[in-house]
Amino acid sequence: MFSEELEKISWEETTEAIYSKTESDVLRALGKSHCDVNDFMALVSPAAEKYLEPMARLSRKYTEERFGKTVSMFIPLYLTNSCTNSCVYCGFHISNPMARTILTPEEMENEYKAIKKLAPFENLLIVTGENPAKAGVPYLAKALDLAKPYFSNLKIEVMPLKTEEYAELTRHGMNGVICFQETYNKARYNIYHPRGMKSKFEWRVNGFDRMGQAGVHSIGMGVLIGLEDWRTDVTMMAYHLRYLQKHYWKTKYSVNFPRMRPAENEGFQPNVIMSDKELAQVTFAMRIFDHDVDISYSTREPAYIRDHMASLGVTTMSAESKTEPGGYYTYPQALEQFHISDDRTAMEVECALKAAGREPVWKDWDASFDFVK
């Protein structure tokens, strides 16, 4: 399990190693055709900031060699905001006084139909809060069964499950799982996740092993930028990615770097702010580190960044997202988990991508890239 490997990697020593990288370390990494995690540390280090242009060129080169000019489009659907966790940064926090919604099967189907009217989406991401008693595996299985007539590719972003539960959901049409570790800093993890199942660090971080053991076709990873030093967190994710690729080599992988934004009220404020330039740096670094990994940007990011990065490393995007349960049809005014930045329609996103020389792909989230060499 990866938790055992992570015990061998010091957070403090990794941070020190990143910040001690020099320009010669960066140039050496840029000159290699295949980078290791040590090279990745150089590429996300402050020393690499003056090399963003050559990093961008290299990132574009590797992206187009592997993915052509395609950008795979998907849309998330939140089925419930009911959650038993106490994540201090999340709108679905159990103590947050808000109306809780769990979509019924009829409401799910209404949402599916509404989504299909927005654009020719075939890639659906089903999202829930963590409430296994009311929205557990049987509930997810039903949601997948109902979604299959409408979408050809189904992924979930839900609570970490057991190996046999992931295997069961694959039999109901699930093609992939996305899970955010949020932060790999075990010493501070419970500051942000004090109660609920999500407070169990090992259970969450080893969930990716259980996905691999269940034969899940596609695994998505991510850290929440804003909790801890982003350079160290993404380096830990790079270690994790290499571990998973070694042990579950038939699986496809994707990564995401969602940025937390400052709260407008007295809510949780990010400890770290990642600039647009730093987001570009980590995107280039990840593409140079791994030519094949899918890099995803959600509508958390503003339109101008998504349009620009679509030609420089990003290969998957959401569009016209609603982050409230039933937001497409049933409850359009419900409380969002987070506010989006790119509020364009899916068709407007498509037009912008085409204007940038990209080719939006609406179906076969993973398979769409199989033929691209």
Side-chain angles (χ1 to χ4, degrees):
M1 292 291 191
F2 183 67
S3 62
E4 299 169 358
E5 296 299 316
L6 195 58
E7 289 292 335
K8 305 172 187 176
I9 308 170
S10 165
W11 178 277
E12 292 75 17
E13 291 176 6
T14 300
T15 303
E16 183 180 351
I18 293 168
Y19 284 88
S20 65
K21 294 298 182 186
T22 65
E23 289 187 35
S24 61
D25 295 320
V26 177
L27 292 171
R28 182 173 60 253
L30 291 175
K32 296 175 67 172
S33 58
H34 294 89
C35 293
D36 56 23
V37 177
N38 187 55
D39 298 315
F40 181 78
M41 285 192 270
L43 295 174
V44 298
S45 73
E49 291 175 356
K50 63 174 63 177
Y51 293 95
L52 289 189
E53 288 192 16
M55 287 176 65
R57 290 193 294 270
L58 204 52
S59 180
R60 183 201 292 266
K61 171 180 178 290
Y62 289 141
T63 301
E64 294 190 355
E65 286 177 353
R66 175 63 182 89
F67 297 90
K69 296 186 177 182
T70 60
V71 177
S72 188
M73 309 300 297
F74 76 97
I75 192 166
L77 171 62
Y78 285 68
L79 298 184
T80 174
N81 58 7
S82 180
C83 192
T84 58
N85 290 320
S86 301
C87 307
V88 298
Y89 50 81
C90 182
F92 291 175
H93 188 295
I94 190 173
S95 300
N96 191 3
M98 58 181 286
R100 302 291 173 163
T101 298
I102 299 178
L103 296 187
T104 66
E106 180 181 1
E107 289 169 338
M108 292 177 195
E109 197 149 13
N110 286 335
E111 296 296 314
Y112 299 153
K113 292 176 182 177
I115 287 171
K116 295 298 285 190
K117 292 179 180 179
L118 300 178
F121 285 107
E122 290 290 338
N123 306 313
L124 179 71
L125 175 64
I126 291 174
V127 188
T128 69
E130 297 195 16
N131 189 338
K134 295 183 178 180
V137 173
Y139 179 82
L140 295 170
K142 182 65 173 179
L144 290 164
D145 288 340
L146 291 173
K148 283 187 288 188
Y150 299 94
F151 306 95
S152 62
N153 204 300
L154 300 170
K155 294 186 179 182
I156 63 171
E157 185 179 339
V158 302
M159 59 205 164
L161 303 174
K162 299 176 182 177
T163 301
E164 57 268 27
E165 291 174 328
Y166 284 125
E168 178 183 348
L169 292 180
T170 62
R171 294 190 287 271
H172 287 270
M174 181 194 77
N175 186 58
V177 180
I178 294 175
C179 183
F180 291 82
Q181 181 59 32
E182 315 298 13
T183 180
Y184 285 88
N185 190 341
K186 183 178 178 181
R188 291 177 53 81
Y189 180 84
N190 288 115
I191 293 175
Y192 312 111
H193 314 97
R195 293 178 299 278
M197 277 299 293
K198 198 168 180 178
S199 67
K200 301 181 186 300
F201 180 89
E202 284 81 5
W203 173 254
R204 192 167 189 89
V205 79
N206 289 335
F208 299 89
D209 278 280
R210 298 192 298 275
M211 297 171 205
Q213 291 164 0
V216 171
H217 175 70
S218 174
I219 294 176
M221 314 170 67
V223 293
L224 183 57
I225 305 297
L227 299 182
E228 294 294 318
D229 185 287
W230 67 263
R231 291 181 169 91
T232 310
D233 248 336
V234 297
T235 297
M236 295 300 184
M237 186 169 67
Y239 275 119
H240 198 176
L241 176 61
R242 281 290 184 261
Y243 164 89
L244 293 171
Q245 289 171 329
K246 177 181 177 181
H247 288 82
Y248 314 107
W249 53 270
K250 292 183 179 180
T251 299
K252 295 186 177 183
Y253 296 93
S254 65
V255 294
N256 198 324
F257 320 104
R259 293 189 293 178
M260 183 183 298
R261 287 183 291 174
E264 297 176 358
N265 47 34
E266 296 181 358
F268 179 84
Q269 298 294 337
N271 296 317
V272 178
I273 301 296
M274 173 187 271
S275 68
D276 293 348
K277 186 175 291 187
E278 289 170 337
L279 176 62
Q281 180 181 356
V282 72
T283 303
F284 303 152
M286 182 58 71
R287 173 60 66 225
I288 296 167
F289 172 66
D290 195 300
H291 307 171
D292 296 327
V293 72
D294 199 8
I295 299 178
S296 179
Y297 273 20
S298 75
T299 51
R300 279 179 183 264
E301 298 304 335
Y304 71 91
I305 291 177
R306 283 163 35 101
D307 291 349
H308 186 62
M309 294 302 295
S311 64
L312 295 174
V314 174
T315 50
T316 298
M317 286 188 183
S318 55
E320 206 160 344
S321 303
K322 303 293 184 182
T323 64
E324 62 272 29
Y328 300 101
Y329 181 86
T330 313
Y331 302 109
Q333 302 304 320
L335 179 65
E336 298 177 313
Q337 186 186 30
F338 60 87
H339 295 300
I340 64 173
S341 293
D342 187 350
D343 59 1
R344 295 174 296 178
T345 68
M347 292 295 94
E348 288 172 335
V349 175
E350 179 185 52
C351 289
L353 290 174
K354 287 182 175 179
R358 299 299 101 181
E359 179 188 344
V361 177
W362 296 97
K363 64 185 298 184
D364 297 333
W365 199 334
D366 301 302
S368 61
F369 300 133
D370 287 345
F371 66 91
V372 181
K373 302 299 182 183

